[in-house]
Amino acid sequence: MKLNQFFPFLLEKKILLSEIELHPRTHIAWKEEGITFYDERKDTFQDKAEKRKWVYLDVFEALWLLIVVELRKFNLDLKTIKKLREFIKEQPDFKKALEKISEEDFQNRILSNLPKEMLESIGGNTSRENIIKSLESNIYQDTFCTNLGIMIYGALITKTSPSIVIKINPETEEFEFIIALNNSTEDNLKEELYEFYTRTCSESTFINLPIVPIIGKLFENEKVFNHCFDYGFFNTQEKQLLEAVRNKECEEIKIIKHKSGDYTVNFSDAKEITGEEARKLRRTLGLKMYDRVEVIYRNENHLVIKNTNKTIVKKEQ
């Protein structure tokens, strides 16, 4: 399944440039150097936004800019970053990727997730060769299908902890870019990854840039967190639970999930009462030491008071 089937709104421009704490001058400089995610576009909305100095980003743009911020910490030059930009905007070689997967995994994991319409269009021939041929003919330039889209998919959905590996080829002295899926459950991919890192660590100078912490940095930011709702990271029930929790100041929260799928949320709070106010309340409720009182509010004229007494019986000597 494609990333846009899970999160179709990731290309909506909701995130302000200021919310990712990138200075406008830096963004303009990077734009002039051609290293922002999208090529220069002359549309009315963008022109107006720039005049107001309000620049809105989608998830791909914001994530890429944070990647650039990390790489600049290593003083990676803009020319190399621009080449990386072209790499992450490319679509991966699906044929090569599918050929690496075992036949069992192909049938169980890939075939079962392909759209019904696609399977019907190929006449029921679900051989690996036929599926690859069909994918190659149906794939078109789509931001969700780029290398960056694949990494976001891995981070959010398959939990494969992807990273970008930037290494110097010892023979050509040129930079090479590789996507590593660091938490794959497939034995053959684990072995291949182990061999890759062993060889790379012993033979090359490289940078390993994990994507999960950068995505976390983006959406754990309080200024950006509200956009999680806009981008569909929470379903309706999760939204209701989060709103309930955010709107209550309490000491304890208990969430109970019922077989029906409904949730009950219980909020508990405690307040310390001392002095004369405490004495008056004690007399009103008839409290003694170790007593526990539960007050249930029915309406303005109806309260239920439940008094529980605790007694300690000491063991005879």
Side-chain angles (χ1 to χ4, degrees):
M1 295 183 74
K2 289 165 60 178
L3 179 62
N4 61 342
Q5 291 177 287
F6 289 93
F7 305 112
F9 308 115
L10 297 185
L11 289 177
E12 293 191 5
K13 293 181 178 295
K14 301 285 187 179
I15 304 169
L16 274 169
L17 182 66
S18 60
E19 290 176 334
I20 65 170
E21 298 176 355
L22 184 69
H23 198 283
R25 290 180 184 174
T26 303
H27 182 256
I28 292 170
W30 288 354
K31 192 173 183 179
E32 290 175 351
E33 291 288 340
I35 62 171
T36 50
F37 189 74
Y38 296 114
D39 296 322
E40 182 71 19
R41 291 176 298 176
K42 296 292 184 181
D43 57 73
T44 306
F45 175 80
Q46 186 182 29
D47 290 342
K48 288 182 178 179
E50 288 182 348
K51 287 176 183 177
R52 293 194 304 263
K53 298 184 180 179
W54 294 345
V55 178
Y56 289 90
L57 311 167
D58 62 35
V59 170
F60 289 86
E61 289 177 291
L63 185 58
W64 167 243
L65 288 174
L66 291 179
I67 288 172
V68 176
V69 168
E70 291 299 312
L71 294 176
R72 292 297 287 163
K73 292 177 182 177
F74 290 92
N75 290 322
L76 195 68
D77 62 279
L78 296 181
K79 182 180 178 181
T80 302
I81 291 175
K82 188 174 181 179
K83 289 180 180 178
L84 175 61
R85 167 190 177 270
E86 297 309 311
F87 170 76
I88 68 163
K89 292 184 69 176
E90 291 175 359
Q91 292 187 182
D93 188 338
F94 288 100
K95 181 179 180 181
K96 186 177 179 181
L98 290 176
E99 286 174 344
K100 289 182 180 180
I101 300 174
S102 66
E103 184 63 34
E104 182 181 358
D105 284 330
F106 178 82
Q107 295 295 328
N108 295 335
R109 296 182 55 193
I110 304 300
L111 196 60
S112 60
N113 285 319
L114 290 177
K116 181 181 177 182
E117 295 77 15
M118 177 184 170
L119 296 178
E120 291 175 351
S121 69
I122 59 177
N125 183 350
T126 57
S127 67
R128 181 196 296 254
E129 183 181 352
N130 201 40
I131 293 293
I132 290 174
K133 188 183 296 183
S134 178
L135 280 173
E136 287 177 334
S137 63
N138 283 287
I139 290 297
Y140 53 91
Q141 188 57 42
D142 181 351
T143 303
F144 286 97
C145 292
T146 58
N147 283 325
L148 184 56
I150 296 300
M151 288 189 285
I152 296 174
Y153 182 94
L156 297 181
I157 298 167
T158 61
K159 310 298 183 184
T160 47
S161 303
S163 64
I164 303 172
V165 177
I166 306 170
K167 69 171 187 172
I168 300 176
N169 186 311
E171 296 179 359
T172 63
E173 295 295 320
E174 294 288 330
F175 282 100
E176 295 179 351
F177 311 114
I178 301 107
I179 293 175
L181 302 178
N182 299 300
N183 196 29
S184 175
T185 57
E186 297 176 29
D187 291 336
N188 60 326
L189 293 181
K190 281 183 179 179
E191 185 176 344
E192 184 179 317
L193 189 68
Y194 174 78
E195 291 177 358
F196 165 74
Y197 276 119
T198 302
R199 187 173 62 255
T200 301
C201 289
S202 60
E203 298 176 358
S204 306
T205 301
F206 72 100
I207 297 172
N208 183 69
L209 189 67
I211 296 301
V212 173
I214 300 177
I215 293 177
K217 182 179 180 181
L218 177 61
F219 286 105
E220 288 173 7
N221 182 337
E222 283 188 20
K223 295 177 181 177
V224 180
F225 180 77
N226 287 333
H227 300 306
C228 288
F229 294 97
D230 301 323
Y231 289 121
F233 293 146
F234 301 114
N235 61 33
T236 303
Q237 281 187 324
E238 290 168 337
K239 286 181 183 179
Q240 291 175 341
L241 287 173
L242 284 170
E243 286 299 323
V245 171
R246 292 171 73 181
N247 293 334
K248 292 280 186 179
E249 292 184 5
C250 54
E251 189 176 77
E252 183 181 61
I253 301 171
K254 291 183 180 179
I255 301 175
I256 302 169
K257 183 178 180 180
H258 306 289
K259 291 182 179 179
S260 64
D262 295 336
Y263 290 85
T264 298
V265 186
N266 298 299
F267 299 93
S268 301
D269 198 7
K271 182 181 178 181
E272 294 283 341
I273 300 175
T274 59
E276 184 59 30
E277 188 178 356
R279 286 191 288 274
K280 287 180 180 179
L281 187 59
R282 181 189 66 78
R283 288 194 294 270
T284 301
L285 300 177
L287 287 169
K288 299 176 183 177
M289 192 173 291
Y290 301 118
D291 273 10
R292 180 184 179 90
V293 170
E294 181 182 0
V295 179
I296 302 173
Y297 176 82
R298 299 293 190 196
N299 55 50
E300 294 292 339
N301 302 308
H302 186 181
L303 293 177
V304 177
I305 299 174
K306 181 180 178 182
N307 194 322
T308 303
N309 181 260
K310 179 179 178 180
T311 303
I312 298 177
V313 180
K314 295 193 177 286
K315 181 180 178 180
E316 292 184 1
Q317 299 296 329

